[in-house]
Amino acid sequence: RQLAMKIVDPDLVHARMLSNELTTLKLLKGHRHIIDMEEYFECRAGGKHRIAGVTELIHGGDLFDRVQAKKRRGKPYTEFQT
């Protein structure tokens, strides 16, 4: 099983929003339509405080980018296409 890691600078995002997102993803683990959050933790990277999230690896690119590209082409993106 392959995993992915995202490292976030908490100074660049609202701390409460980030905390809520990570907690929600952890609670929804196992849902068939939501990426599994394996773990998240605080660390130091580049000498700065960071928050790291470990998720299952999903191939195919960023869904947000796909939705935005369809929007730019004037085509709606429905939940049935995801």
Side-chain angles (χ1 to χ4, degrees), residues 13-28 34 37 40 51:
V13 295
H14 191 278
R16 176 168 273 164
M17 286 175 55
L18 179 60
S19 176
N20 287 344
E21 180 178 353
L22 294 172
T23 300
T24 301
L25 283 172
K26 194 88 163 135
L27 288 171
L28 293 172
I34 299 175
M37 169 65 70
Y40 61 92
I51 296 175

Side-chain angles (χ1 to χ4, degrees), residues 47-81:
K48 295 185 177 183
H49 175 251
R50 300 284 192 244
I51 296 175
V54 180
T55 65
E56 63 180 317
L57 179 62
I58 302 295
H59 298 280
D62 189 355
L63 177 60
F64 180 80
D65 292 341
R66 291 171 56 192
V67 171
Q68 292 303 311
K70 273 211 167 216
K71 232 189 225 184
R72 284 192 296 276
R73 292 192 303 263
K75 298 178 181 179
Y77 204 98
T78 68
E79 64 184 85
F80 301 108
Q81 295 172 312

Side-chain angles (χ1 to χ4, degrees), residues 30-45:
H31 189 286
R32 68 184 193 149
H33 295 297
I34 299 175
I35 192 169
D36 277 348
M37 169 65 70
E38 296 297 324
E39 191 60 62
Y40 61 92
F41 52 91
E42 296 183 34
C43 62
R44 294 193 70 76

